[in-house]
Amino acid sequence: MDRFDEIAAFAAVADARSFTHGARRLGVSSAQASKLVARLENRLGARLLNRTTRDVSLTDTGRAYLERARQLIEDFEALEGSVRDQDGCPRGTLKISAPVSFGASQLIPALLDFARAHPDVSLDVSSTDRMVNLVEEGFDVAVRIGSLSDSSLVARKLAAVRMVTCASPEYLARSGTPKSLEELAAHEAIIDTNAKDPTVWRFGGQGERHDVRVRGRLSFSGAEPCVAAARQGFGITRTPAFAAAEDLRAGRLQPVLCAFEPELIHVHAVYPHARHLAPKVRFFVDFLAKRYAGEPEWHKGWGSAHPVPAELAAV
């Protein structure tokens, strides 16, 4: 067991690139973590970590050892979990990463319902639009929106999301309603800098794809402030439907250029590959899949009047 503690300490410090943060993840002091790693290196007769006053990095030997160590730790945790969770009931702490806007408007109510249904599960939720590394940062599962790039993760599609171009009735009365993509370029845009290419809005329709370069004096890193600015008449914004649904239903915002909407984006639950998936993760992902099954709430009450073009609705 002492040897396993040494390996676990090494992996935690290597992933965090810090003895302090690695020790915190393990629930021990940094001095204890340092002692465990030093003991492991002495026993192996090899240096695994390079240490400076500012950083901790892997040696080549340490990098190769860490790859095998992670598998060993995963196998050990799966073994313990298979015994602890023989009844198949979810328990323990579930560490979740969620995007800020979707988390605030859609996910938090679902999380509270899940917590109410499973009192033996503790939730540790981090709201960030940063693409976290689930393995290195110790997350059990993440909710992500848009394209997925990490093929090492298991992904389950939960729901579709329309991207809506919209503005307030006051702005449209004052500046006119764009009827074509060429007209859009002349309007004041409210730009979400979280987008991959914020000033280029991509549209579809009639089997074609078009890029429109937009400009505007207001830029925000997130959907909610963009929607708030559009609601107050500062211009046209493009946002995920879940961020604007209430305003669209109430008429405070009006969709424009619906015939040219971009392709649907999707909400996914992603989690690391595991030989034995912990019940807490399996129950949570199944819960979200059931929660978001069918037509999403954020498309109801306004979307039926502005259906997605057939060639863009295919998934």
Side-chain angles (χ1 to χ4, degrees):
M1 200 62 196
D2 288 343
R3 290 189 175 187
F4 184 81
D5 290 341
E6 294 169 4
I7 294 169
F10 161 67
V13 170
D15 286 341
R17 299 191 65 168
S18 162
F19 278 93
T20 300
H21 294 136
R24 187 176 302 144
R25 184 181 299 176
L26 292 171
V28 301
S29 68
S30 56
Q32 178 66 9
S34 179
K35 179 180 178 181
L36 288 169
V37 173
R39 200 160 67 195
L40 174 63
E41 289 179 322
N42 289 336
R43 185 164 51 79
L44 295 175
R47 178 173 291 278
L48 303 177
L49 296 173
N50 294 314
R51 303 158 175 82
T52 69
T53 56
R54 295 185 178 181
D55 194 20
V56 174
S57 62
L58 288 162
T59 64
D60 289 341
T61 301
R63 191 171 293 106
Y65 190 82
L66 179 61
E67 185 176 342
R68 300 292 297 275
R70 281 182 178 144
Q71 185 61 57
L72 179 63
I73 293 169
E74 181 181 307
D75 288 345
F76 183 81
E77 290 178 345
L79 174 63
E80 283 204 327
S82 66
V83 175
R84 186 174 57 248
D85 300 324
Q86 281 183 358
D87 58 0
C89 294
R91 55 174 55 87
T93 298
L94 185 64
K95 191 173 180 183
I96 304 165
S97 174
V100 176
S101 293
F102 185 80
S105 65
Q106 302 298 327
L107 192 59
I108 294 301
L111 290 173
L112 296 179
D113 287 344
F114 181 81
R116 189 174 293 110
H118 301 286
D120 291 332
V121 178
S122 300
L123 300 183
D124 181 358
V125 185
S126 175
S127 296
T128 177
D129 290 325
R130 179 177 62 86
M131 192 70 70
V132 302
N133 185 310
L134 270 66
V135 174
E136 291 187 2
E137 298 181 53
F139 286 98
D140 295 298
V141 62
V143 176
R144 291 181 176 169
I145 301 175
S147 59
L148 302 176
S149 56
D150 192 340
S151 60
S152 68
L153 301 176
V154 180
R156 183 165 177 182
K157 190 182 294 183
L158 301 176
V161 180
R162 295 175 67 172
M163 291 295 294
V164 185
T165 308
C166 55
S168 69
E170 294 75 18
Y171 174 85
L172 297 175
R174 183 175 70 247
S175 302
T177 300
K179 304 296 184 184
S180 68
L181 298 181
E182 290 75 15
E183 291 180 17
L184 174 64
H187 279 264
E188 182 75 12
I190 302 165
I191 297 167
D192 186 345
T193 56
N194 276 350
K196 186 176 181 180
D197 195 349
T199 60
V200 176
W201 291 0
R202 291 180 170 83
F203 292 87
Q206 290 97 45
E208 299 180 359
R209 299 292 179 267
H210 304 276
D211 289 352
V212 178
R213 186 165 293 280
V214 297
R215 57 177 180 81
R217 64 191 184 95
L218 296 184
S219 298
F220 301 96
S221 60
E224 289 180 334
C226 291
V227 169
R231 190 168 56 238
Q232 295 187 33
F234 281 95
I236 297 176
T237 194
R238 193 172 70 165
T239 185
F242 59 77
E246 288 188 12
D247 290 305
L248 290 165
R249 282 192 285 263
R252 294 185 293 266
L253 292 175
Q254 293 181 1
V256 299
L257 300 169
C258 292
F260 299 95
E261 279 190 22
E263 293 180 350
L264 296 169
I265 60 175
H266 293 89
V267 182
H268 293 86
V270 298
Y271 49 92
H273 282 277
R275 203 171 304 171
H276 303 286
L277 187 62
K280 62 183 179 181
V281 177
R282 176 167 49 82
F283 271 70
F284 179 67
V285 173
D286 288 345
F287 177 88
L288 291 185
K290 184 176 180 180
R291 178 86 170 210
Y292 298 125
E295 183 68 11
E297 286 295 323
W298 51 81
H299 292 166
K300 295 179 180 178
W302 68 271
S304 59
H306 307 279
V308 182
E311 67 270 24
L312 298 181
V315 293

